[in-house]
Structure formats: C-alpha cells, structure tokens
Amino acid sequence: MADETATVASTGITVQIVTPVGEVYNESNIELAVVNTQGGQIGIMRKHVPLLAALTINELLVKSNGQMDTLAVNGGIAEFYNDLLTIVADSAETSDDIDVTRAEGAKERAETRIAHAQNDHNDAELKRARVALMRAVNRIHVAAIRQGK
C-alpha cells in the first residue's frame, strides 16, 4: 500500500502549452508550475483546486526532478483541472528556443516605436509598442535565467 501512495505522489501534474502555431510544451511528472496571472503569481501542484486565469506577459516556472525550467509566456489563459495545466498562450518559447539577438532587436524596435508614438500622440500605437517591448524583455529575461545571469 505504501508503494502505491509513493508512486501516485511522484507522478505530479502535466503541463501543456499551446499557441496559435501549435504545441510548444507538453511534459508530465511536473512537481510545481508557477504561473503569473493578472491576479498575481500562483503555484500549482498535484491536487490543486480547479483554476481558470488570465495570464500576463511573464515567465512560467516548471519544476521537475528537482530542476527548474523557465519558459517565456506572452499572455493567454491557464486552466488547471484534474492534474492537467493547459496554457493557451498568444506565444510561448522554452528558454532553449529563444534567439537572444532577435529578442534584443525586437526590444530596440519597440523602444523606437514607443518614442515615435509618444511624439505623434498616437495612444493606440503606444499601447501596441509597449506590449511588444514587454514581450521582448520577457524573452531576454528568460534566456538570461537559462544562462545563469
């Protein structure tokens, strides 16, 4: 009986991330997933209560086998039910897939767009440029974590 309990307890949760381009991540036996919602940061483990939450542009932390992995998640929603965390995101990347040079270029372009939008008093473009900047900074941040910076 004790062996069955140990096996069940060690199975953890499954984390699945889907974007308009397709599935980005699908792993089982996750001990802990930390999502950043519009209401704050939430840690999710096995047997967590069901959850539906809007996500912010931020990192997703996933702990498996004692190691933390970080993913860049750019908005979307998270649903947790029956030990399955499903994230439907606008875009998402694992830290290994992030092209830092490309992300830094996107950051520079977004900063230029922000400056132009402010000069032109274009509020709609300013909002879009700020979102682009947040996404680029998130990608750079997640890549830096992977590199231990």
Side-chain angles (χ1 to χ4, degrees), residues 117-133:
Q118 287 173 333
N119 289 338
D120 296 342
H121 303 288
N122 185 340
D123 290 338
E125 176 59 19
L126 183 60
K127 288 178 186 177
R128 287 189 296 271
R130 285 182 175 156
V131 169
L133 178 61

Side-chain angles (χ1 to χ4, degrees), residues 93 98-110 132-133 135-141 143:
E93 290 177 278
I98 295 173
D99 181 341
V100 177
T101 304
R102 189 170 157 242
E104 289 171 347
K107 178 180 178 265
E108 291 172 10
R109 286 189 302 277
L133 178 61
R135 288 180 178 202
V137 168
N138 185 39
R139 294 175 67 228
I140 293 166
H141 170 73

Side-chain angles (χ1 to χ4, degrees), residues 9-105:
S10 67
T11 58
I13 66 173
T14 298
V15 176
Q16 179 181 38
I17 302 174
V18 180
T19 69
V21 197
E23 188 174 80
V24 174
Y25 187 86
N26 191 343
E27 294 291 329
S28 299
N29 299 322
I30 302 297
E31 300 164 29
L32 170 69
V34 180
V35 295
N36 290 282
T37 73
Q38 292 183 3
Q41 195 173 61
I42 299 173
I44 300 171
M45 299 174 74
R46 192 168 182 277
K47 301 289 185 187
H48 193 283
V49 297
L51 166 78
L52 183 63
L55 299 175
T56 61
I57 296 172
N58 212 320
E59 65 193 10
L60 166 71
L61 302 173
V62 179
K63 182 179 179 183
S64 178
N65 297 321
Q67 293 193 338
M68 286 294 245
D69 288 326
T70 310
L71 296 96
V73 176
N74 295 316
I77 59 168
E79 176 191 35
F80 184 76
Y81 180 75
N82 200 22
D83 290 338
L84 171 64
L85 174 61
T86 303
I87 295 174
V88 180
D90 300 334
S91 65
E93 290 177 278
T94 63
S95 59
D96 292 335
D97 291 338
I98 295 173
D99 181 341
V100 177
T101 304
R102 189 170 157 242
E104 289 171 347

